Amino acid sequence: MAHLLNDTMQTVVPASFPLFQQTLHLSFAQMGWIAFALNITASILQPLIGYVSDRRPMPFLLPGGMFCTLIGMFGFAFASEFWMLLVSASIVGIGSSILHPESSRVAYMVAGKGRGLAQSIFQVGGNTGQAIAPLIVAFLILPNGQHTYLWLLGLAVIGMIIQYYVSRWYKDKITLTKLKAAKNGQISKEGFETKNSQHSKLFIACTLLILIVLLFSKFVYLAGMTGYYSFYYAESFGVSLSQAQISLFILQFAGMIGTLLGGPLADRFGRKPMIWFSIAGAAPFSVLLPYAGPSLSMVLCFFIGIILMSGFSVIIVYAQELLPNHIGTVSGLFFGLSFGLGGLGSVVLGSLIDATSVQWVIHLCSFLPLLGLLAVFLPKGRTAVSAKV
């Protein structure tokens, strides 16, 4: 629920680009910079927060992160200049940078043997929030204006309450495991069994590099879709921007389903097959999307969402099992990279749209999922990274 609320508020920002373009007369490049500010703060801070919390868990950060998001939503409600939008986006990014590594750690702690399922449940909250955001923009923010952001403060308050109770459980769990640590050296102060990686540093580095390339293909593509596809859809099919938001809702709603299915399927069939399918499997649909009509485009968005978003939680668990003593660092790194690549992609794609056209950029983005073919070079999950836990 906390992830749902956070990602609802975070995704409302790029989904509101049509409003900012109309009210503040922003260029596509400026809208890209807003997305960059939102995502780069999370990209930089998440690995740092994960690294620090690996050594000293900080349960109080959970409600604190949601408070930052509340301040950011307040800023968006009253922003009248481009720089104010940048500052507000950065504050929301800070809130997300706190939530993701620490909440992912909690999901890992409660997972038992179903780590893929646990991470999927956590991720599906975020995907549900991402699916809800375009509807909030289409039916609440666009018709009623920028001050409607004030309604989102209530979501932030609810999130703070939820995270407060989660942080209490987290704190009690840490206390309990410290008591166990006094009797059993196999338990770390963070509550995980200490287990050294069985692979060389070169092997780990090469594997992580492949995973990062896969994240690049996934999140730059999603940045193009969430930030600019509504403009493409409205322009291509002669509908309003509010109506075009429905295509993004379908994409994100399908992503919610895909995320929920991805983890359990990876627990059953292995991490590598699921990672490979989740990105490369979306390529036929993404390549066809720019040539489809309005109805078929909705169908393709559904298949792209359900396939493409099924693999992120699997990638995180794959990396966590590769480096079992650095759960927070790995979670922060991969969540941070997802935001950073998305933010950088938004800037580059927005600038390309200003220089060319939105149609050209959407066609270019359609080929990004083909990079998922690199997943064939990953070691088999069951033997190399212990997919079955």
Side-chain angles (χ1 to χ4, degrees), residues 98 114 150 188 209 218 225 237 311 318 335 337 373:
I98 295 172
L150 291 174
S188 69
L209 180 61
K218 171 184 171 66
M225 291 293 290
F237 305 122
Y318 190 104
F335 278 113
L337 281 171
L373 294 173

Side-chain angles (χ1 to χ4, degrees), residues 14-94:
S16 298
F17 282 172
L19 173 67
F20 298 143
Q21 185 192 47
Q22 294 171 2
T23 57
L24 299 179
H25 308 291
L26 301 181
S27 68
F28 281 99
Q30 286 177 312
M31 289 185 285
W33 278 109
I34 295 171
F36 180 79
L38 172 68
N39 291 312
I40 199 63
T41 48
S43 178
I44 293 173
L45 292 177
Q46 284 198 53
L48 176 61
I49 292 172
Y51 178 81
V52 172
S53 62
D54 273 338
R55 285 148 180 77
R56 183 180 180 182
M58 295 173 282
F60 67 89
L61 285 179
L62 293 174
M66 198 64 72
F67 178 74
C68 290
T69 304
L70 183 149
I71 299 299
M73 290 296 102
F74 186 84
F76 275 113
F78 295 101
S80 58
E81 301 286 344
F82 174 59
W83 69 266
M84 297 174 70
L85 294 175
L86 291 177
V87 171
S88 299
S90 298
I91 295 174
V92 173
I94 292 172

Side-chain angles (χ1 to χ4, degrees), residues 366-385:
S366 68
F367 295 100
L368 284 172
L370 289 172
L371 290 174
L373 294 173
L374 290 174
V376 299
F377 296 107
L378 291 172
K380 291 182 179 180
R382 290 184 181 279
T383 56
V385 199

Side-chain angles (χ1 to χ4, degrees), residues 71-125:
I71 299 299
M73 290 296 102
F74 186 84
F76 275 113
F78 295 101
S80 58
E81 301 286 344
F82 174 59
W83 69 266
M84 297 174 70
L85 294 175
L86 291 177
V87 171
S88 299
S90 298
I91 295 174
V92 173
I94 292 172
S96 288
S97 72
I98 295 172
L99 176 135
H100 286 95
E102 283 296 88
S103 295
S104 184
R105 178 198 300 279
V106 173
Y108 191 96
M109 291 172 71
V110 302
K113 294 184 178 181
R115 292 173 186 166
L117 174 61
Q119 195 64 228
S120 285
I121 292 172
F122 172 65
Q123 280 299 112
V124 82

Side-chain angles (χ1 to χ4, degrees), residues 135-158:
L135 297 182
I136 293 176
V137 172
F139 298 109
L140 184 65
I141 295 179
L142 284 178
N144 300 298
Q146 191 174 336
H147 291 306
T148 315
Y149 266 93
L150 291 174
W151 288 92
L152 301 183
L153 299 184
L155 300 183
V157 171
I158 295 172

